[in-house]
Amino acid sequence: MRIAAIDQGTTSTRALVVDASDGTAVIAHAVRHAQSHPAPGWVEHDAEELLANVRACVAAAGPVDALALANQGESCLAWDALTGEALSPVIVWQDNRTADAIAGLADHAALVETRAGLPLDAYFSASKLGWLLRHLPRVQAARNAGRLRLGTTDAFFLDRLAGLFATDAATASRTSLMGLATGRWDPELCALFGVPLDCLPEIRPTVGGFGRIEGVPVVASVVDQQAALYGHGCRAPGDAKITFGTGAFALAVTGGEIVRAAGEGLLPTVAWAIGKATTYAVDGGVYDAGSAVEWAMRIGIVDDVSQLDGFAEPPAIDRGLVFVPALSGLACPHWDRSAAALFLGMSAATTRADLRQALLEGIALRTAEVVATIGARVPLAPAISIDGGLSRSGYFAQFLADSLGREVVVGAFDERTAFGAAALAASAFGIDLAVPAEARRHALRGSETREARRARFAEAVARTRGWRAV
C-alpha cells in the first residue's frame, strides 16, 4: 500500500510517499512559496499559490492508495462557497495584526481559557477570521450574500480539491472557537470573536473520510505539529517531541486528560481524534527558530547553514553574549507580543561567529523555557525527540540537551510531520508504520552551568518585554 502525505507548511509544501509494505519513505516533490509582510507584524501567503503547490505535490506523488494532509494550524482565510475563490490572503499564524483587538477582549480571557483551553493571543485563528469580516469588503459582501466560508487552510484545500468543507478536531482546537472538551464549535466563542458559526467547516475525527482528490481517498488530516508528534512515535503520556521549523514547537502527550495550564502559558490541545477516542497533548511554542536563522542570513550574520556548527569558542552565553529570538514577540510561557529581539553583551571584539553561536543558543534556551514549563505540569520521559533544520547542527542539539537537562534524540529521518500524517492515514487501514530509526543521541552534560545560563538568559528575556509598546 502506498500513501502520500502532503505537508503544507509555513515555507514550503512537500509530498512524502510511504510504502507501507516495506516502510520506505521518499520525498516525491517539494516547492517553496512566497511570504509577504505588507505591514509591520503582518505575515501573509497567497491562497491560490498554496493550493497550486498542493495540487503539484499530489500529482508528483504518482499512483497512491490514500492521501493524508498536514496543515499550518492557525493560518486561515476566507473564500467563496460557490466559486471557491479565495476572498483574502492567508493570514499566517505568526501574524500579529489583531493584537489591539485581542487587548480589547481582555475581560473575556477566562471564558476563552475555560472553553477553548487557549490564552487570548493573535496567534490563534479566531481573531484573524474576525478581522477579515471587519476589514475586507469582499468578505463582508460574501457574508451578506450567504456565500462566505471561513476556516484554516486545510478546510480550503479540502473544499477546493475534495469537494468537502471540513476540518479535523486537532486543527479546530487551534482556532479558539472550538470547545476543547466538546469537540464542537462553541457559539459563545464565535460570537465573542465575531465569527459566524454557520460559515465554519464541519469538524471531523483526524482519521476518517475527507473526500477524494483525483479519485484517491483522503483518510487523515491534521495540524503539522500534531502530525510530527505522531511521527516521532509519541503515544504514551509524557512522550514529547520538539520540531524546529519556522518556529519551535514542543508537544507532550497527555492521553485522555486535558491539562489546563494557561496560567503557566501552556496550551492544551487535541493531539488527534481516532474513532470516538480523543488523545490530548500540551503544547508550548517559540515563535522564531528557523525564521530567526533566515533573518540572520538575510542581514549577513550567517552566509551558509554550514556555519551553524563546529564553533571553536566556548558557549557565547558563558562569555556574556546573549540573543533573545523575539522577532515576532514571545510565546510560551510569556505570551508577550510587545517583546522584541535583542543581542546583549556585544563589544568591539564580537565577531559574526560569536553572533551565530549566540543565535543558536538563544533558540535553544527559549525552547528550554518552554520544556521546563511543560515538565512542571506533565511528567516527561527522560529523553526528548527533535526534528527540523536546526536538529542537523550537532552544536545546537548538544547545547539544547545541556539546557534542557535531558537527553536529546535526533532522528535519522527528518520528515516527521509528513511521516506522522502518513502513519495516521495508515492507521485507518489497521497498519502500524514503524517509526524511523534515530541518528544520534546527545547526553546532557555541564549541569553545573545550566542554572547560571538559564538565569542569565531570563534576565535578557526580561529586558525584551514591552519594548514595542514604548
Side-chain angles (χ1 to χ4, degrees):
M1 180 178 204
R2 284 164 53 87
I3 299 168
I6 311 301
D7 175 13
Q8 202 300 295
T10 308
T11 59
S12 68
T13 308
R14 315 168 74 75
L16 179 76
V17 178
V18 179
D19 190 324
S21 63
D22 58 14
T24 57
V26 178
I27 290 290
H29 189 60
V31 56
R32 293 180 69 85
H33 56 261
Q35 184 159 278
S36 59
H37 303 269
W42 292 29
V43 189
E44 296 180 352
H45 295 157
D46 183 300
E48 298 296 335
E49 182 185 10
L50 298 188
L51 184 70
N53 291 348
V54 171
R55 277 198 177 106
C57 282
V58 171
V64 294
D65 302 293
L67 289 165
L69 177 65
N71 69 79
Q72 294 183 32
E74 301 77 10
S75 302
C76 57
L77 70 156
W79 66 99
D80 190 297
L82 296 184
T83 67
E85 178 189 6
L87 302 173
S88 75
V90 173
I91 303 182
V92 181
W93 56 270
Q94 293 169 303
D95 190 282
N96 193 32
R97 74 185 66 188
T98 62
D100 290 341
I102 287 291
L105 297 175
D107 291 343
H108 302 280
L111 169 69
V112 177
E113 291 175 5
T114 299
R115 299 283 184 89
L118 304 175
L120 274 173
D121 194 85
Y123 174 42
F124 306 106
S125 312
S127 64
K128 301 181 191 325
L129 294 172
W131 186 93
L132 292 174
L133 267 167
R134 290 193 305 274
H135 293 275
L136 299 187
R138 295 182 71 202
V139 176
Q140 296 164 0
R143 171 60 176 161
N144 293 336
R147 298 170 50 155
L148 178 63
R149 285 186 172 169
L150 297 168
T152 41
T153 54
D154 60 320
F156 176 65
F157 302 143
L158 290 168
D159 193 24
R160 288 284 296 271
L161 300 177
L164 180 73
F165 185 40
T167 187
D168 89 294
T171 307
S173 74
R174 309 299 298 180
T175 62
S176 288
L177 297 173
M178 187 191 87
L180 191 58
T182 67
R184 296 190 295 271
W185 299 123
D186 186 293
E188 195 166 351
L189 291 175
C190 289
L192 175 66
F193 289 101
V195 178
L197 191 153
D198 60 297
C199 295
L200 294 171
E202 174 191 357
I203 299 174
R204 294 191 169 193
T206 304
V207 177
F210 290 93
R212 290 174 175 265
I213 298 176
E214 301 297 330
V216 181
V218 183
V219 297
S221 186
V222 65
V223 181
D224 52 7
Q225 298 307 320
Q226 278 85 326
L229 184 69
Y230 202 86
H232 276 281
C234 298
R235 304 286 189 274
D239 287 350
K241 70 87 193 175
I242 311 168
T243 296
F244 292 95
T246 302
F249 295 93
L251 273 78
V253 176
T254 61
E257 179 187 2
I258 299 174
V259 175
R260 296 184 180 274
E264 290 84 41
L266 296 176
L267 312 179
T269 187
V270 173
W272 44 78
I274 302 176
K276 295 183 178 180
T278 298
T279 297
Y280 294 94
V282 67
D283 166 19
V286 177
Y287 288 134
D288 296 292
S291 59
V293 174
E294 290 191 357
W295 164 78
M297 295 182 78
R298 286 197 306 274
I299 67 171
I301 294 174
V302 179
D303 296 321
D304 185 84
V305 292
S306 63
Q307 295 178 322
L308 300 178
D309 211 343
F311 296 100
E313 297 295 328
I317 194 167
D318 294 347
R319 294 180 283 127
L321 179 62
V322 180
F323 174 68
V324 180
L327 296 164
S328 304
L330 295 169
C332 176
H334 311 286
W335 293 103
D336 183 359
R337 288 284 194 162
S338 70
L342 63 73
F343 279 101
L344 186 64
M346 289 186 290
S347 71
T350 301
T351 66
R352 288 202 307 156
D354 294 332
L355 296 178
R356 291 192 290 269
Q357 201 169 357
L359 173 79
L360 293 179
E361 293 170 11
I363 297 168
L365 286 162
R366 270 292 293 122
T367 306
E369 286 188 319
V370 172
V371 173
T373 306
I374 294 175
R377 295 300 303 267
V378 179
L380 294 175
I384 191 164
S385 299
I386 70 171
D387 69 296
L390 283 167
S391 68
R392 301 184 190 112
S393 166
Y395 182 83
F396 177 81
Q398 184 60 61
F399 190 89
L400 179 65
D402 299 342
S403 301
L404 295 176
R406 64 181 63 244
E407 188 175 37
V408 164
V409 180
V410 182
F413 181 73
D414 208 30
E415 301 291 340
R416 295 303 175 115
T417 296
F419 180 81
L424 284 163
S427 73
F429 302 95
I431 299 171
D432 186 12
L433 292 183
V435 176
E438 65 187 54
R440 62 185 189 276
R441 287 176 173 257
H442 294 266
L444 61 100
R445 63 185 187 187
S447 57
E448 67 280 358
T449 61
R450 184 175 305 117
E451 293 308 316
R453 289 175 181 173
R454 287 180 174 180
R456 177 167 285 182
F457 186 73
E459 180 183 352
V461 169
R463 296 193 184 192
T464 73
R465 303 290 301 273
W467 182 262
R468 290 190 176 93
V470 174

